[in-house]
Amino acid sequence: MDTGGAPSQSTMSGRRPGGWGRRVALAALVAIWVLLTWRAIQPPVRIRLPAFEPEGMVLLGGGAIPASSGLKGADVAPFRMDRFEVTEGDFAEFLGANPDEPAPYHWLPPDVPGAGQRREPPPGTEEFPVVHVDLHQARRYAAWRGAHIPTVEEWEWAALGAQGDAFPWGIDAAVIRANTQEAGFEGRTPVGFFPAGVARGSGCYGMVGNVTEWTDSPARYGDDRFFVRGGSYRDPLVGILNTHAPGSRLVQRENRVIEPQSAPPFEQEVPIDDRIEPPGSHSSILGFRCAMNEAEYGRQRDAWARVEELVYDLAHRDLVSGFWRVRPAKRELVEIGYFALRPLRMARRQVADDAVRANIDEVVAAIERKVGLR
């Protein structure tokens, strides 16, 4: 039957065709958008890092070195000291971050003259104290860590403290507690190898024997030679430290090689506790450890606190914050560089959100590229 162009039922009811379908589709899109963005609009969780403390260091209160010491009661301000000597593995990380730094002499390929420098320590020596590092390079390593080479007063305080005993562990010399001549190793041992030899006043290991250690104290005003401390595996225990009566100070005849290596070695009688070296000297029995004063500690503590704030910015996920907070936070963290790596890795372990962890991973990778760790 011909309707004669009569309006349809939907038109008569005032609704356009497909109106309900469009509304359902729009509602579905809104629901999907809410589901996808719900987590992004939640307030970010603030990550709380533990209080900053330099890795591998112990805090020593200040005081006056006992008058029995050769330093005659010098005062020492509070500072932090490496628990162990800097190892070959530690130094390899420094070289990776500083490609212009030369590798230690003993890392060079022994049978391929001129073949280039090896950037990794000899296999199996990663935990041994690094040697063949002169004072100039030791200072650069310490600065890279935000620290310094200890003064002779700091070194003595870490070794003997206020007790004034003959040895870091007390007065007992009957038991072998250090890699000295009596131990019979005739070479280096890994750091911490003698736990019974720990300094009871500081908790530092290896303050006697194994390798002699640089200090950053010149022997005399204006003299370009610096005290070294602690003796090595070549030295007998008695006489290594300067806490003995004048008649008991051991004097040894030793061969010394001064840089440049073309200089001829010479023999010299040197009291073990008065040994000095030019800053360009290095040898197979000379290593170092680092110290950190309150100013150096404060700079790293402030950087640590700033990283904690920036990690909170990284946790924002909405588009506006992504532009105004996340991107600037990434740039600043990369500028902070090496000192941001440890707190960032600690923060990542506390984060459950994959997107935030991805932000942290991106920054860590950028810093590692910047400092030469990738």
Side-chain angles (χ1 to χ4, degrees):
M1 177 178 171
D2 186 5
T3 60
S8 66
Q9 184 176 355
S10 61
T11 303
M12 292 175 64
S13 63
R15 294 191 300 269
R16 293 185 178 183
W20 280 108
R22 284 195 295 272
R23 291 175 183 175
V24 170
L26 179 61
L29 290 173
V30 169
I32 293 172
W33 179 84
V34 170
L35 289 173
L36 291 176
T37 60
W38 178 81
R39 292 185 66 185
I41 62 178
Q42 301 306 302
V45 176
R46 185 175 290 277
I47 301 299
R48 296 295 182 185
L49 296 175
F52 169 68
E53 194 58 42
E55 200 168 16
M57 285 188 154
V58 293
L59 174 62
L60 287 78
I65 295 178
S68 59
S69 166
L71 299 176
K72 300 178 181 179
D75 289 328
V76 179
F79 69 103
R80 288 163 173 80
M81 185 79 150
D82 276 346
R83 190 181 298 274
F84 304 105
E85 304 100 317
V86 174
T87 67
E88 302 265 9
D90 296 332
F91 206 75
E93 186 175 353
F94 167 67
L95 293 183
N98 298 274
D100 293 334
E101 287 286 345
Y105 175 78
H106 63 297
W107 290 17
L108 301 177
D111 54 348
V112 187
Q117 294 182 338
R118 182 164 46 200
R119 306 298 288 183
E120 295 291 335
T125 66
E126 291 82 2
E127 294 301 316
F128 285 64
V130 69
V131 291
H132 283 297
V133 176
D134 65 28
L135 181 57
H136 302 301
Q137 193 172 29
R139 287 169 174 163
R140 294 194 296 271
Y141 173 92
W144 175 71
R145 278 184 49 190
H148 65 273
I149 301 302
T151 64
V152 69
E153 292 84 5
E154 288 172 332
W155 195 97
E156 291 267 346
W157 187 250
L160 299 169
Q163 291 86 4
D165 293 328
F167 309 108
W169 53 85
I171 60 174
D172 178 23
V175 179
I176 294 177
R177 299 172 185 262
N179 182 18
T180 56
Q181 195 178 84
E182 294 84 355
F185 282 98
E186 299 182 353
R188 294 175 296 160
T189 50
V191 299
F193 191 78
F194 290 88
V198 63
R200 63 176 182 165
S202 67
C204 294
Y205 290 77
M207 302 301 289
V208 169
N210 211 13
V211 297
T212 307
E213 299 180 21
W214 281 112
T215 78
D216 211 345
S217 294
R220 292 182 301 276
Y221 181 77
D223 193 346
D224 195 29
R225 292 177 294 174
F226 291 76
F227 284 114
V228 295
R229 282 290 193 259
S232 74
Y233 59 83
R234 297 179 183 175
D235 299 315
L237 176 62
V238 176
I240 283 182
L241 299 179
N242 66 359
T243 55
H244 306 283
S248 68
R249 295 176 71 202
L250 180 67
V251 176
Q252 278 199 321
R253 181 173 294 275
E254 60 174 8
N255 287 324
R256 296 159 63 83
V257 179
I258 306 299
E259 293 298 309
Q261 290 183 337
S262 59
F266 63 94
E267 287 191 343
Q268 183 178 12
E269 289 187 344
V270 183
I272 295 176
D273 60 331
D274 279 344
R275 286 179 178 165
I276 55 178
E277 294 285 352
S281 178
H282 64 83
S283 77
S284 61
I285 59 169
L286 182 54
F288 69 100
R289 70 181 74 207
C290 296
M292 184 179 291
N293 58 35
E294 285 301 305
E296 292 162 339
Y297 170 79
R299 286 192 289 270
Q300 292 205 41
R301 180 198 56 214
D302 293 346
W304 182 278
R306 183 57 183 153
V307 170
E308 186 176 43
E309 295 174 2
L310 294 171
V311 167
Y312 177 70
D313 289 343
L314 290 183
H316 287 76
R317 297 187 55 191
D318 60 281
L319 293 177
V320 175
S321 294
F323 182 80
W324 291 106
R325 303 187 73 158
V326 176
R327 292 173 62 187
K330 289 180 179 179
R331 286 196 297 269
E332 186 174 345
L333 285 164
V334 173
E335 289 175 3
I336 293 173
Y338 178 80
F339 294 129
L341 286 177
R342 183 175 163 223
L344 280 172
R345 289 164 178 159
M346 295 180 70
R348 189 187 188 281
R349 291 195 289 268
Q350 299 184 41
V351 173
D353 189 285
D354 290 340
V356 180
R357 296 178 77 175
N359 281 339
I360 295 175
D361 290 343
E362 178 186 341
V363 174
V364 168
I367 294 173
E368 288 179 340
R369 286 192 296 271
K370 175 184 176 182
V371 303
L373 297 179
R374 286 200 175 199

XYZ file of all heavy atoms in Angstrom, residues 132-191:
473
model
N 99.976 0.629 41.810
C 100.498 1.363 40.647
C 99.610 2.559 40.304
O 99.334 2.841 39.134
C 100.650 0.436 39.438
C 101.859 -0.444 39.511
N 103.152 0.048 39.519
C 101.970 -1.802 39.602
C 104.006 -0.960 39.609
N 103.317 -2.084 39.671
N 99.153 3.265 41.337
C 98.390 4.501 41.166
C 99.141 5.610 41.898
O 99.382 5.508 43.100
C 96.967 4.363 41.745
C 96.222 5.687 41.647
C 96.204 3.261 41.018
N 99.558 6.636 41.167
C 100.280 7.722 41.837
C 99.300 8.634 42.571
O 98.074 8.496 42.446
C 101.171 8.487 40.861
C 100.402 9.242 39.776
O 99.239 9.642 40.020
O 100.967 9.453 38.683
N 99.837 9.578 43.328
C 98.987 10.429 44.154
C 98.089 11.313 43.308
O 96.933 11.577 43.677
C 99.849 11.290 45.090
C 99.094 12.225 46.039
C 98.110 11.467 46.906
C 100.079 13.020 46.904
N 98.559 11.782 42.163
C 97.743 12.628 41.300
C 96.476 11.888 40.870
O 95.369 12.426 40.937
C 98.529 13.049 40.059
C 99.801 13.781 40.354
N 99.831 14.962 41.067
C 101.100 13.491 40.038
C 101.078 15.373 41.180
N 101.867 14.506 40.560
N 96.648 10.635 40.423
C 95.495 9.875 39.957
C 94.607 9.438 41.129
O 93.376 9.397 41.002
C 95.951 8.652 39.155
C 94.821 7.993 38.374
C 95.312 6.905 37.440
O 96.326 6.267 37.689
N 94.587 6.677 36.356
N 95.217 9.141 42.267
C 94.425 8.808 43.454
C 93.534 9.986 43.851
O 92.372 9.809 44.231
C 95.348 8.416 44.608
N 94.062 11.188 43.752
C 93.246 12.379 44.052
C 92.077 12.499 43.083
O 90.959 12.864 43.475
C 94.110 13.640 43.965
C 95.093 13.840 45.114
C 96.049 14.947 44.759
N 96.959 15.312 45.850
C 98.065 15.998 45.689
N 98.425 16.408 44.455
N 98.842 16.293 46.721
N 92.323 12.221 41.804
C 91.238 12.315 40.823
C 90.165 11.267 41.093
O 88.968 11.539 40.944
C 91.793 12.180 39.400
C 92.704 13.334 38.995
C 92.960 13.364 37.507
N 93.687 12.212 37.013
C 95.015 12.119 36.952
N 95.779 13.118 37.388
N 95.602 11.039 36.456
N 90.585 10.072 41.476
C 89.612 9.044 41.840
C 88.771 9.515 43.025
O 87.540 9.395 43.028
C 90.321 7.733 42.192
C 89.386 6.680 42.741
C 88.784 5.749 41.900
C 89.092 6.617 44.101
C 87.905 4.798 42.399
C 88.213 5.670 44.608
C 87.630 4.763 43.755
O 86.753 3.825 44.265
N 89.431 10.041 44.052
C 88.713 10.492 45.242
C 87.733 11.611 44.900
O 86.585 11.621 45.372
C 89.708 10.947 46.308
N 88.156 12.561 44.070
C 87.267 13.654 43.671
C 86.064 13.123 42.904
O 84.940 13.623 43.058
C 88.033 14.671 42.828
N 86.267 12.119 42.076
C 85.174 11.481 41.334
C 84.130 10.914 42.293
O 82.934 10.941 42.006
C 85.763 10.391 40.442
C 84.781 9.560 39.690
C 83.996 9.939 38.633
C 84.497 8.174 39.912
N 83.246 8.883 38.192
C 83.531 7.781 38.952
C 84.980 7.222 40.812
C 83.020 6.481 38.887
C 84.478 5.927 40.747
C 83.511 5.563 39.789
N 84.576 10.444 43.443
C 83.671 9.929 44.461
C 83.166 11.003 45.417
O 82.397 10.710 46.339
C 84.377 8.841 45.286
C 84.386 7.475 44.628
C 85.008 6.429 45.520
N 84.478 6.450 46.874
C 84.990 5.759 47.883
N 86.048 4.982 47.688
N 84.467 5.831 49.088
N 83.591 12.250 45.221
C 83.185 13.311 46.129
C 83.918 13.259 47.445
O 83.400 13.722 48.470
N 85.141 12.748 47.450
C 85.912 12.557 48.674
C 87.313 13.108 48.477
O 87.566 13.877 47.549
C 85.943 11.072 49.045
N 88.250 12.693 49.352
C 89.641 13.138 49.224
C 90.555 12.037 49.768
O 90.106 11.091 50.429
C 89.875 14.448 49.986
C 89.722 14.328 51.478
N 88.512 14.465 52.116
C 90.625 14.080 52.471
C 88.662 14.304 53.420
N 89.939 14.078 53.666
N 91.838 12.146 49.461
C 92.827 11.254 50.049
C 93.062 11.711 51.486
O 93.226 12.908 51.733
C 94.150 11.292 49.243
C 93.883 10.884 47.794
C 95.183 10.362 49.870
C 93.268 9.513 47.615
N 93.038 10.805 52.460
C 93.141 11.252 53.859
C 94.466 11.940 54.155
O 95.504 11.616 53.574
C 92.998 9.947 54.657
C 93.370 8.867 53.697
C 92.931 9.340 52.347
N 94.409 12.887 55.064
C 95.639 13.454 55.595
C 96.318 12.406 56.473
O 95.702 11.397 56.863
C 95.346 14.702 56.440
O 94.571 14.306 57.592
C 94.573 15.731 55.626
N 97.569 12.633 56.807
C 98.260 11.675 57.657
C 97.593 11.608 59.033
O 97.540 10.540 59.667
C 99.762 12.018 57.756
C 99.991 13.296 58.549
C 100.549 10.852 58.348
N 97.040 12.744 59.502
C 96.344 12.736 60.795
C 95.064 11.907 60.722
O 94.758 11.138 61.653
C 96.014 14.172 61.223
C 97.223 15.014 61.580
C 97.888 15.653 60.369
O 97.351 15.522 59.242
O 98.946 16.284 60.531
N 94.304 12.072 59.650
C 93.091 11.265 59.490
C 93.432 9.789 59.400
O 92.743 8.939 59.989
C 92.326 11.718 58.244
C 91.652 13.070 58.389
C 91.073 13.583 57.088
O 91.594 13.227 56.002
O 90.100 14.363 57.147
N 94.493 9.481 58.657
C 94.865 8.075 58.508
C 95.261 7.482 59.864
O 94.824 6.381 60.214
C 96.025 7.947 57.505
C 96.214 6.540 57.032
C 95.730 5.981 55.870
C 96.902 5.486 57.719
N 96.079 4.647 55.803
C 96.806 4.325 56.922
C 97.594 5.418 58.924
C 97.366 3.111 57.296
C 98.159 4.199 59.306
C 98.043 3.066 58.500
N 96.076 8.182 60.623
C 96.503 7.678 61.938
C 95.309 7.526 62.883
O 95.236 6.579 63.665
C 97.536 8.633 62.540
C 98.862 8.648 61.814
C 99.870 7.670 62.400
O 99.633 7.169 63.519
O 100.874 7.401 61.730
N 94.376 8.475 62.820
C 93.202 8.409 63.686
C 92.354 7.181 63.353
O 91.840 6.501 64.246
C 92.396 9.684 63.543
C 91.252 9.823 64.504
C 89.928 9.769 64.207
C 91.339 10.067 65.910
N 89.171 9.965 65.331
C 90.013 10.148 66.400
C 92.402 10.225 66.799
C 89.727 10.371 67.741
C 92.108 10.457 68.150
C 90.788 10.524 68.602
N 92.197 6.890 62.059
C 91.432 5.704 61.659
C 92.146 4.420 62.063
O 91.503 3.417 62.385
C 91.197 5.720 60.150
N 93.475 4.450 62.045
C 94.236 3.242 62.373
C 94.286 2.982 63.871
O 94.137 1.841 64.323
C 95.659 3.354 61.813
N 94.484 4.031 64.667
C 94.785 3.846 66.086
C 93.836 4.564 67.028
O 93.773 4.233 68.215
C 96.223 4.300 66.370
C 97.297 3.537 65.611
C 98.629 4.237 65.748
C 97.389 2.105 66.095
N 93.109 5.571 66.534
C 92.171 6.273 67.382
C 92.827 6.892 68.599
O 93.995 7.278 68.581
N 92.064 6.973 69.652
C 92.547 7.613 70.873
C 93.264 6.644 71.804
O 93.819 7.056 72.822
C 91.379 8.261 71.613
N 93.251 5.334 71.458
C 93.814 4.355 72.384
C 95.325 4.469 72.520
O 95.886 4.256 73.586
C 93.462 2.921 71.945
C 91.994 2.567 72.097
C 91.197 2.989 70.887
O 91.761 3.487 69.909
N 89.891 2.824 70.939
N 95.990 4.799 71.427
C 97.448 4.868 71.468
C 98.102 3.513 71.585
O 99.255 3.404 72.030
N 97.391 2.435 71.195
C 97.983 1.095 71.242
C 99.006 0.934 70.128
O 99.084 1.739 69.194
C 96.892 0.025 71.105
C 95.957 -0.007 72.295
O 96.424 0.294 73.411
O 94.768 -0.324 72.109
N 99.752 -0.162 70.213
C 100.777 -0.404 69.209
C 100.178 -0.770 67.860
O 100.767 -0.485 66.812
C 101.716 -1.508 69.687
N 98.988 -1.395 67.867
C 98.389 -1.898 66.630
C 96.908 -1.510 66.592
O 96.302 -1.243 67.638
C 98.545 -3.420 66.538
C 99.945 -3.888 66.767
C 100.290 -4.548 67.946
C 100.928 -3.651 65.825
C 101.583 -4.975 68.164
C 102.238 -4.061 66.043
C 102.564 -4.724 67.211
N 96.307 -1.518 65.428
C 94.889 -1.142 65.340
C 93.970 -1.995 66.211
O 92.943 -1.514 66.694
C 94.576 -1.321 63.848
C 95.883 -1.114 63.158
C 96.904 -1.704 64.089
N 94.315 -3.254 66.399
C 93.473 -4.166 67.169
C 93.830 -4.206 68.652
O 93.168 -4.881 69.425
C 93.586 -5.579 66.603
C 95.012 -6.057 66.487
C 95.777 -6.642 67.460
C 95.847 -5.964 65.339
N 97.032 -6.921 67.004
C 97.108 -6.523 65.685
C 95.662 -5.485 64.033
C 98.173 -6.589 64.784
C 96.723 -5.569 63.154
C 97.955 -6.108 63.522
N 94.893 -3.540 69.058
C 95.299 -3.556 70.460
C 96.806 -3.684 70.595
O 97.564 -3.021 69.892
N 97.233 -4.556 71.503
C 98.667 -4.693 71.775
C 99.206 -6.073 71.444
O 100.409 -6.303 71.532
C 98.969 -4.372 73.251
C 98.203 -5.334 74.180
C 98.598 -2.919 73.559
C 98.567 -5.167 75.642
N 98.335 -7.004 71.061
C 98.753 -8.385 70.823
C 99.446 -8.506 69.470
O 98.858 -8.192 68.436
C 97.542 -9.310 70.881
C 97.901 -10.761 70.600
O 99.082 -11.120 70.794
O 97.011 -11.527 70.193
N 100.697 -8.982 69.486
C 101.432 -9.210 68.240
C 101.690 -10.692 68.011
O 102.361 -11.060 67.043
C 102.752 -8.452 68.266
N 101.142 -11.551 68.886
C 101.445 -12.977 68.798
C 100.641 -13.676 67.712
O 101.091 -14.659 67.125
C 101.181 -13.645 70.157
N 99.431 -13.176 67.437
C 98.559 -13.785 66.438
C 98.651 -12.991 65.148
O 98.671 -11.758 65.157
C 97.099 -13.814 66.936
C 96.183 -14.425 65.888
C 97.010 -14.582 68.249
N 98.699 -13.700 64.034
C 98.780 -13.023 62.736
C 97.423 -12.413 62.412
O 96.428 -13.118 62.244
C 99.225 -13.997 61.638
C 100.670 -14.446 61.888
C 99.105 -13.338 60.256
C 101.178 -15.466 60.900
N 97.381 -11.115 62.341
C 96.139 -10.390 62.088
C 96.232 -9.481 60.861
O 95.328 -8.682 60.621
C 95.778 -9.534 63.301
C 95.553 -10.324 64.589
C 95.397 -9.371 65.765
N 95.284 -10.067 67.034
C 94.146 -10.329 67.657
N 93.006 -9.950 67.105
N 94.126 -10.954 68.820
N 97.313 -9.559 60.123
C 97.502 -8.675 58.972
C 98.440 -9.339 57.982
O 99.221 -10.229 58.335
C 98.062 -7.321 59.421
N 98.366 -8.882 56.732
C 99.240 -9.421 55.692
C 100.578 -8.704 55.747
O 100.889 -7.840 54.923
C 98.583 -9.248 54.317
C 99.428 -9.845 53.202
O 100.321 -10.655 53.456
N 99.143 -9.459 51.974
N 101.368 -9.085 56.746
C 102.723 -8.568 56.892
C 103.703 -9.682 56.579
O 103.329 -10.798 56.203
C 102.944 -8.028 58.314
O 102.655 -9.062 59.262
C 102.037 -6.831 58.584
N 104.964 -9.376 56.746
C 106.014 -10.346 56.428
C 105.800 -11.671 57.152
O 106.039 -12.752 56.598
C 107.364 -9.741 56.814
C 108.584 -10.442 56.251
C 109.844 -9.701 56.675
O 110.352 -9.924 57.780
N 110.323 -8.803 55.818
N 105.296 -11.601 58.390
C 105.103 -12.809 59.182
C 104.053 -13.747 58.598
O 104.093 -14.961 58.823
C 104.696 -12.430 60.621
C 105.762 -11.707 61.409
C 105.789 -10.216 61.145
O 105.040 -9.739 60.264
O 106.566 -9.523 61.830
N 103.089 -13.204 57.846
C 102.020 -14.038 57.287
C 102.517 -14.929 56.172
O 101.929 -15.979 55.896
C 100.874 -13.158 56.785
N 103.594 -14.534 55.500
C 104.220 -15.395 54.491
C 103.519 -15.445 53.153
O 103.802 -16.340 52.349
N 102.615 -14.511 52.844
C 101.912 -14.564 51.557
C 102.788 -14.088 50.404
O 102.566 -14.467 49.248
C 100.633 -13.730 51.619
C 99.505 -14.400 52.334
C 99.244 -14.113 53.658
C 98.709 -15.333 51.690
C 98.196 -14.725 54.331
C 97.667 -15.959 52.345
C 97.414 -15.660 53.678
N 103.709 -13.202 50.651
C 104.607 -12.660 49.634
C 103.850 -12.014 48.475
O 104.277 -12.063 47.318
C 105.553 -13.752 49.113
C 106.437 -14.340 50.214
C 107.410 -15.386 49.685
O 107.299 -15.745 48.494
O 108.255 -15.833 50.465
N 102.740 -11.423 48.777
C 101.944 -10.737 47.771
C 100.675 -10.192 48.398
O 100.388 -10.412 49.577
N 99.891 -9.487 47.599
C 98.647 -8.905 48.101
C 97.614 -9.975 48.423
O 97.613 -11.062 47.834
C 98.050 -7.949 47.056
C 98.863 -6.710 46.766
C 98.217 -5.921 45.613
N 98.230 -6.663 44.359
C 97.430 -6.420 43.322
N 96.525 -5.458 43.402
N 97.516 -7.131 42.217
N 96.716 -9.644 49.326
C 95.550 -10.474 49.616
C 94.298 -9.615 49.411
O 94.371 -8.382 49.418
C 95.574 -10.994 51.066
O 95.802 -9.896 51.957
C 96.653 -12.047 51.254
N 93.127 -10.235 49.208
C 91.900 -9.439 49.049
C 91.645 -8.553 50.265
O 92.050 -8.880 51.383
C 90.808 -10.506 48.905
C 91.523 -11.730 48.413
C 92.879 -11.685 49.056
N 90.976 -7.434 50.051
C 90.679 -6.538 51.167
C 89.777 -7.267 52.154
O 88.940 -8.088 51.774
C 90.019 -5.236 50.682
C 90.947 -4.487 49.737
C 88.673 -5.500 50.006
